Amino acid sequence: MSEGTMQRRAQRDGQFDEREQRAERVRRTGGASRLLAAVVAVPVMLIAAGCSSDSGSGDDTKDSAASTGAGSGADAGSAASAAPTVQAAAYKKLPEACAVVSKKTLTELVPKGAAKGKEGTSSDTAARASCSWSSLANNGVKGSQFRWLNVSLLRFESDATTGDGETQAKAYYAKQVKDSQAVSGAKNVKSEPAAATGDEATSVHYDLKKSEGAFKQQTVVARVENVVVTLDYNGAGLAGDKSPSADTLTKAAEKAAKEAVAAVQSANGEGGGGSSDTSGKSPASPSPSGSASSAPSASPSRTASGSASATPGAAASKAAAAAPKASASAKS
């Protein structure tokens, strides 16, 4: 082999080696690039996955909070709708007890005591009040005429526990009428409606024998809205004087009861008519005024002479002292 041929062959071999080396470098560079790209891609994917996870977690939290809030609102609404409500009491106050009967009528019923009304004690005059008058007219050797008048006013406040005021007043009214008809020792008991006196009224009259004489007892129980008026009126002829007419006493008692009912209406902004105007009722209120402790309880008792002794729900001992007793004995 000639020297020229060997030289050309060596050049070809050298060129081949160069191409092989370049190809190797390219392969190495490409592999490293792919490896670098893969290494770079992994954190990017992890970051993207983390962001995606955080976003979903936030949405879940919001959805959960919204769901919880909606549930709480529904529960609150259910609790509010479950709270009991009662009709507000129509009448909020009572008139002055010693002023519910006119001077003219008092002069007819208790001529010697018209100006001497004795107000009963009360811890809450807006809920209960009373006044009494007595008269002893001395007719010398003919004897004397005794008269006694008592007016009791009881107002019931609406309460979620005890119910609305008018319903309580109705129950108390019925109990008062029943007690008036069942007085121990009463004779010739008669009952009849008292016309044009509040929303409902009953007149009860009977004879009651005492050591001082024969007494004629008249009791008029009237209800107007959430207030009950109990009027007791009795009379007797003493020391030989003749007994008064039962009819006369009944008419006088019913007249006084009408005036007492009209005074209750007037004190609460209504006219002095004989029946209540139900259009003046207050709207229903979920927060009734007054408390159960101040509302009188529908549990009256009656003394032997027929007068009511009202017992308030929270202070029975005070009510017993506040309600005057109807004494059938003559006062000298």
Side-chain angles (χ1 to χ4, degrees):
M1 181 179 299
S2 65
E3 182 178 351
T5 301
M6 293 176 65
Q7 186 176 2
R8 285 195 296 273
R9 184 173 180 180
Q11 289 176 348
R12 284 196 302 272
D13 292 341
Q15 291 174 353
F16 177 78
D17 292 338
E18 272 183 43
R19 286 197 298 272
E20 286 293 324
Q21 290 175 1
R22 284 199 298 271
E24 182 66 19
R25 284 198 299 271
V26 169
R27 281 195 299 272
R28 290 178 180 178
T29 301
S33 298
R34 286 192 297 272
L35 179 61
L36 179 61
V39 170
V40 171
V42 169
V44 172
M45 292 175 65
L46 292 175
I47 292 172
C51 291
S52 175
S53 175
D54 290 344
S55 175
S57 176
D59 292 342
D60 291 344
T61 302
K62 290 179 182 178
D63 292 343
S64 176
S67 175
T68 303
S72 300
D75 292 343
S78 299
S81 62
T85 59
V86 294
Q87 176 74 25
Y91 290 164
K92 300 298 181 184
K93 57 184 177 180
L94 295 175
E96 183 182 348
C98 290
V100 297
V101 181
S102 69
K103 291 295 182 184
K104 181 178 182 296
T105 301
L106 286 173
T107 302
E108 295 173 2
L109 272 64
V110 283
K112 296 297 183 178
K116 301 177 183 178
K118 182 180 180 181
E119 185 176 0
T121 57
S122 173
S123 60
D124 184 3
T125 55
R128 63 189 70 83
S130 63
C131 191
S132 61
W133 301 260
S134 62
S135 172
L136 182 64
N138 192 338
N139 298 320
V141 295
K142 293 182 180 180
S144 60
Q145 287 289 323
F146 174 75
R147 302 288 186 272
W148 184 86
L149 173 68
N150 181 78
V151 179
S152 296
L153 310 172
L154 210 57
R155 185 184 70 84
F156 293 83
E157 186 58 79
S158 294
D159 183 83
T161 302
T162 56
D164 67 271
E166 186 172 5
T167 299
Q168 295 179 68
K170 287 179 179 179
Y172 182 77
Y173 164 82
K175 186 70 165 56
Q176 283 287 77
V177 172
K178 184 177 179 181
D179 287 349
S180 299
Q181 297 167 334
V183 173
S184 177
K187 304 293 184 182
N188 304 317
V189 180
K190 296 180 181 179
S191 302
E192 57 192 11
T197 308
D199 295 316
E200 54 184 336
T202 301
S203 178
V204 181
H205 44 96
Y206 51 85
D207 299 330
L208 195 63
K209 186 72 173 178
K210 291 288 185 178
S211 58
E212 298 86 353
F215 286 79
K216 303 287 185 180
Q217 172 70 36
Q218 325 297 313
T219 299
V220 181
V221 184
R223 182 188 66 81
V224 54
E225 296 289 0
N226 55 307
V227 175
V228 176
V229 176
T230 304
L231 184 143
D232 289 293
Y233 182 50
N234 63 41
L238 306 176
D241 206 346
K242 64 179 181 180
S243 297
S245 166
D247 289 341
T248 300
L249 294 182
T250 297
K251 289 178 181 178
E254 290 181 355
K255 178 182 179 181
K258 285 182 174 67
E259 292 183 4
V261 167
V264 173
Q265 293 173 314
S266 180
N268 288 276
E270 291 189 6
S275 61
S276 66
D277 177 11
T278 55
S279 63
K281 287 185 178 181
S282 302
S285 170
S287 301
S289 61
S291 66
S293 61
S294 66
S297 170
S299 55
S301 61
R302 184 163 294 275
T303 62
S305 61
S307 67
S309 173
T311 306
S317 59
K318 289 184 179 180
K325 301 293 189 295
S327 172
S329 60
K331 296 183 180 179
S332 56

